[in-house]
Amino acid sequence: MSSKTYNIGLGHNDIITRKKADSDFISFWDDQAKNLSWFKTWDKTLEWSPPFAKWFVGGTINASYNALDVNLKNKAKKTAILWEGENGDRRTLTYEELWLEVNKFANVLKFLGVNKGDRVTIYLPMVPELPISMLACARIGAIHTVVFSGFSSSALRDRIEDSGSKIVITADGGYRRGNIIKLKEVVDDAIKDLDFVQNVIVYERTKHGVSLNKKDKLWNELMKNAKASFDPEKLESAHPLYILYTSGTTGKPKGVLHGTGGYLTHLYSTFRWAFDIKDSDVYFCTADIGWVTGHSYVVYGPLMRGATELMYEGAPDYPSPSRMWDLIQRYKITIFYTTPTALRMFMKFGDSIPNSFDLSSLRLLGTVGEPINPEVWIWYFKTIGKEKCPIIDTWWQTETGGIMISNLPGLETIPLKPGSATKPIPGTQITVVDEKGDELAANTKGYLVIKNPWPGMLLTLWNDDAKYKSVYWSKYENAYYPGDYAIKDNDGYLWLLGRADDVLKIAGHRIGTAELESSIVSHKDIAEAAVCGVPHEVKGEAIIAFVVLKEGIKKPFDLLKKEIIEVVRSSVGAIATPEQIHFVTRLPKTRSGKIMRRLLKAIANNDNIGDVSTLEDGAAVSEVQDALNELKSTIKNN
Ligand code: ATP
Ligand code: MG
């Protein structure tokens, strides 16, 4: 944990919000919910029958109304979505235009027999038809379940089956690294003999020509004669808005079910506190809508706030490593939100690339998805933000619905510590406890817990209340267990140290993977690192490190190994010295870009690898497997 702090904020200092939240979190969220448009006000703010929470009971609301209709009065002609395709295609949708498309498509879905509570699977690339589909479902009260368009047919089939979707929305294809991914073919394969799927709606993105089956309907054909308005369904606040499967970093993906009123309230507030959104901003979140970040902070959050945002279709480094910086320069992006994994990649390409673009429009930078290594944080702050943009390192999960721990420059100005997500958002109580659930003293490693229900909290896991209880509410009696390992420092700042399952126990010492990886990444030649443990007779566990070098590094491996060990010894301690260091060209990652340490560990221990449906690249698995085979023989001889 680095001790240097950075004093950079946006001048806000709203003590009252913090005070109100601390004195009574229920009435605090009650106040926040009043910012939204409700058809009927709620009778009760929170109904808490642990572990099930219902927010704003008795109130009725509609998500698409809050994202679109509310903006028609003052922002009808304002750009909602600036869209750029990977191949350079461009589209712009104003709030009025987006409203119209959504209304028409809601009529289409209704015509095909979609009713309130029905499930609709959306398997689309990053095109405007994706948010249009989601918002049309929300308008009807149908439950959308978006599946990331990089998934294989078997992963898609599992999700369609689990959710019992009667409609699937897809495209003929999507562009990825210059190739056409034939999405319609994947769907055909996925729904073979799934009789409950009644129709497949096909949006023609690539127009490469697909054959249509009995169930298939073309998006454009259906939209031609669709009526231009659809009255939004007045839905109970806890009516399910969507099912979204988690990234699968730690195991089989879980079907997280989110409600409406509470979820939207959480987003409405956090979108302003964290991103300080203003009418003049041009916001760019690089997340694919197939993940929760896209649901909350590409679709619902920004639209509810009437923001203008950039939506980009393709890979972040295609056709060149400068794609993101080029987009920021051309669209004059003011707020940029991305992931540590993307930042490590950009960093690996070298500074001269971002330095040759005009990034002066930027005023706030964000990150999400994994712990950010302090080294990477500082690079982001200096090279991209030119030391004038506050960084928000936002910790949250699919299950939390929205940001839970983050610097909130739109609310207050606090000193920043690279690598710490800083403090919980107002109206939540988040702390670090030991195995028994007792709160730990400052600077002691333990488990992160959330003590009170919060508005964005998941309703349950789809069709599986028992699993919901056992995954999140069985480790501790009265607290939600996120499964992350953390530390709270003397100033009350939270440091996320990686998955609790990933913790290394070396000779009785518990070492977080994030801590160790950040130490390795602080070596100037290293771009990325992943560590895992294998059983060791004496120490309990021995550490294995996999490292990816920055572009162009030609040093001898022996010298690099020595230097890495030196860095680890001085920053974490001799106990954390890796037993083995392997140099690889890439690490196994989930489709959402997170390092799959579970896989490294499973291969190392010869365990069953489990569900790898969310793995990015099969080749990386075999590369790791080879490295490990070699490694295992060495470990035995040590
Ligand atoms: P699964 O639950 O299926 O294993 P997942 O946890 O990767 O998948 P998500 O809900 O997308 O699925 O990710 C949430 C997790 O990502 C958090 O629990 C945490 O481990 C990690 N995370 C997210 N943001 C941050 C952050 N800012 N700092 C540290 N870790 C983060
Ligand atoms: Mg998780």
Side-chain angles (χ1 to χ4, degrees):
M1 291 185 330
S2 101
S3 51
K4 181 161 168 39
T5 60
Y6 292 78
N7 291 301
I8 175 133
L10 297 171
H12 297 283
N13 211 348
D14 177 356
I15 306 165
I16 296 163
T17 296
R18 280 280 179 197
K19 269 202 175 143
K20 272 193 187 159
D22 290 344
S23 74
D24 180 351
F25 80 97
I26 296 179
S27 78
F28 170 75
W29 286 117
D30 190 273
D31 275 352
Q32 297 298 316
K34 288 175 189 152
N35 293 318
L36 276 62
S37 289
W38 297 78
F39 301 116
K40 178 174 167 286
T41 315
W42 53 98
D43 313 309
K44 196 173 178 196
T45 311
L46 171 65
E47 196 178 282
W48 177 224
S49 41
F52 299 95
K54 275 189 182 167
W55 286 88
F56 315 117
V57 182
T60 60
I61 188 163
N62 185 288
S64 101
Y65 185 89
N66 275 274
L68 301 170
D69 303 54
V70 296
N71 291 311
L72 291 186
K73 201 166 153 224
N74 299 320
K75 296 183 178 173
K77 305 279 182 230
K78 183 178 173 177
T79 299
I81 297 176
L82 291 157
W83 178 83
E84 185 160 314
E86 193 185 74
N87 59 358
D89 287 354
R90 289 185 206 181
R91 280 166 72 187
T92 302
L93 283 144
T94 63
Y95 273 91
E96 198 172 45
E97 288 163 341
L98 186 60
W99 179 91
L100 182 63
E101 294 301 301
V102 169
N103 276 262
K104 284 168 68 180
F105 197 60
N107 280 312
V108 164
L109 290 175
K110 199 81 197 184
F111 167 77
L112 294 177
V114 175
N115 289 312
K116 181 175 153 183
D118 287 343
R119 276 82 57 210
V120 174
T121 292
I122 306 174
Y123 183 68
L124 281 171
M126 283 287 281
V127 289
E129 282 63 28
L130 173 48
I132 290 168
S133 299
M134 294 161 76
L135 291 161
C137 287
R139 209 158 179 89
I140 297 176
I143 304 169
H144 59 71
T145 164
V146 179
V147 178
F148 172 59
S149 65
F151 275 126
S152 66
S153 66
S154 67
L156 174 63
R157 183 188 172 92
D158 286 349
R159 287 158 180 77
I160 295 173
E161 255 192 313
D162 190 66
S163 60
S165 294
K166 71 187 266 198
I167 300 274
V168 178
I169 304 169
T170 191
D172 51 354
Y175 292 102
R176 190 78 183 173
R177 298 191 181 282
N179 299 315
I180 292 179
I181 314 285
K182 296 180 176 165
L183 299 176
K184 168 66 170 55
E185 286 181 10
V186 181
V187 172
D188 286 345
D189 202 30
I191 62 164
K192 236 181 246 160
D193 55 74
L194 292 186
D195 294 336
F196 58 86
V197 177
Q198 295 169 6
N199 286 114
V200 176
I201 302 176
V202 185
Y203 173 72
E204 290 170 292
R205 161 74 184 115
T206 60
K207 302 193 173 69
H208 69 275
V210 287
S211 53
L212 296 180
N213 307 322
K214 261 200 308 221
K215 293 182 178 180
D216 304 340
K217 309 258 180 216
L218 288 176
W219 175 290
N220 282 343
E221 293 295 320
L222 292 165
M223 287 288 266
K224 252 186 211 156
N225 301 315
K227 269 205 319 217
S229 95
F230 185 101
D231 272 349
E233 200 71 37
K234 298 181 172 66
L235 303 164
E236 286 294 325
S237 173
H239 181 79
L241 179 61
Y242 66 80
I243 304 169
L244 181 63
Y245 294 85
T246 54
S247 303
T249 310
T250 54
K252 198 174 173 350
K254 302 168 277 282
V256 171
L257 186 69
H258 276 294
T260 308
Y263 173 75
L264 296 180
T265 300
H266 192 134
L267 298 186
Y268 188 91
S269 299
T270 52
F271 196 65
R272 193 183 63 74
W273 297 335
F275 297 97
D276 184 49
I277 193 73
K278 299 219 169 18
D279 211 26
S280 51
D281 279 313
V282 186
Y283 167 83
F284 180 23
C285 168
T286 64
D288 191 285
I289 293 175
W291 309 112
V292 74
T293 303
H295 280 58
S296 297
Y297 298 109
V298 176
V299 182
Y300 294 107
L303 296 179
M304 271 198 293
R305 284 286 183 179
T308 294
E309 64 177 324
L310 174 65
M311 182 177 170
Y312 170 66
E313 181 188 39
D317 57 342
Y318 187 88
S320 86
S322 64
R323 187 72 193 236
M324 292 294 114
W325 319 128
D326 177 44
L327 289 171
I328 291 172
Q329 175 178 284
R330 274 193 289 120
Y331 289 95
K332 300 198 169 39
I333 303 297
T334 59
I335 304 173
F336 183 58
Y337 191 30
T338 192
T339 61
T341 205
L343 291 170
R344 288 189 298 254
M345 176 178 76
F346 300 141
M347 214 176 146
K348 182 173 146 185
F349 294 140
D351 291 6
S352 63
I353 298 174
N355 284 347
S356 60
F357 286 84
D358 177 8
L359 307 178
S360 62
S361 54
L362 290 170
R363 68 179 193 94
L364 192 154
L365 301 171
T367 153
V368 62
E370 283 189 295
I372 182 165
N373 321 99
E375 212 61 32
V376 179
W377 191 106
I378 292 166
W379 181 82
Y380 199 18
F381 181 69
K382 293 191 172 160
T383 308
I384 306 306
K386 314 291 181 212
E387 304 191 33
K388 67 179 182 59
C389 306
I391 304 257
I392 55 168
D393 171 6
T394 64
W395 178 90
W396 58 293
Q397 310 180 294
T398 310
E399 296 88 337
T400 68
I403 293 169
M404 297 299 281
I405 306 171
S406 174
N407 169 35
L408 302 171
L411 183 74
E412 61 204 5
T413 300
I414 59 168
L416 303 182
K417 304 184 186 188
S420 166
T422 76
K423 302 195 176 190
I425 62 164
T428 56
Q429 209 196 334
I430 304 179
T431 190
V432 181
V433 300
D434 64 13
E435 200 63 54
K436 285 187 295 203
D438 294 329
E439 188 138 353
L440 284 166
N443 299 324
T444 318
K445 291 170 206 165
Y447 302 100
L448 191 75
V449 288
I450 307 176
K451 289 193 148 176
N452 292 325
W454 65 98
M457 184 173 133
L458 71 165
L459 299 173
T460 184
L461 292 178
W462 176 250
N463 267 340
D464 205 345
D465 286 349
K467 188 168 178 192
Y468 166 69
K469 285 184 192 165
S470 77
V471 174
Y472 310 106
W473 298 95
S474 64
K475 187 167 173 81
Y476 300 113
E477 210 172 303
N478 292 317
Y480 170 90
Y481 173 65
D484 279 22
Y485 195 44
I487 206 168
K488 199 197 266 184
D489 73 12
N490 282 326
D491 303 321
Y493 280 50
L494 291 159
W495 299 74
L496 284 311
L497 303 179
R499 315 289 174 141
D501 319 11
D502 286 337
V503 169
L504 304 164
K505 293 191 195 85
I506 316 297
H509 297 263
R510 301 159 69 76
I511 299 165
T513 48
E515 205 179 354
L516 191 48
E517 287 162 7
S518 285
S519 157
I520 299 174
V521 171
S522 74
H523 185 292
K524 65 179 187 331
D525 300 330
I526 310 295
E528 261 196 315
V531 296
C532 74
V534 291
H536 186 281
E537 272 172 32
V538 182
K539 300 179 185 170
E541 249 180 338
I543 299 169
I544 308 173
F546 294 88
V547 296
V548 179
L549 297 177
K550 281 189 186 159
E551 217 96 307
I553 301 298
K554 297 241 159 50
K555 261 191 202 169
F557 287 158
D558 279 347
L559 178 60
L560 279 165
K561 281 186 186 177
K562 265 194 205 137
E563 289 176 1
I564 292 169
I565 289 171
E566 208 32 62
V567 170
V568 169
R569 279 171 181 259
S570 64
S571 63
V572 187
I575 193 83
T577 307
E579 194 86 10
Q580 296 286 332
I581 298 171
H582 286 271
F583 296 93
V584 291
T585 48
R586 61 191 179 285
L587 296 169
K589 291 190 183 165
T590 61
R591 304 246 172 192
S592 57
K594 301 181 194 204
I595 298 172
M596 264 210 168
R597 291 177 203 78
R598 173 173 69 90
L599 191 79
L600 293 173
K601 206 179 163 92
I603 299 173
N605 294 326
N606 255 342
D607 291 346
N608 189 339
I609 297 173
D611 184 345
V612 289
S613 65
T614 51
L615 254 195
E616 169 74 34
D617 182 352
V621 184
S622 58
E623 189 179 347
V624 170
Q625 179 85 65
D626 289 347
L628 272 159
N629 285 341
E630 176 205 316
L631 160 87
K632 273 195 240 157
S633 57
T634 26
I635 282 203
K636 273 188 208 130
N637 302 331
N638 276 340

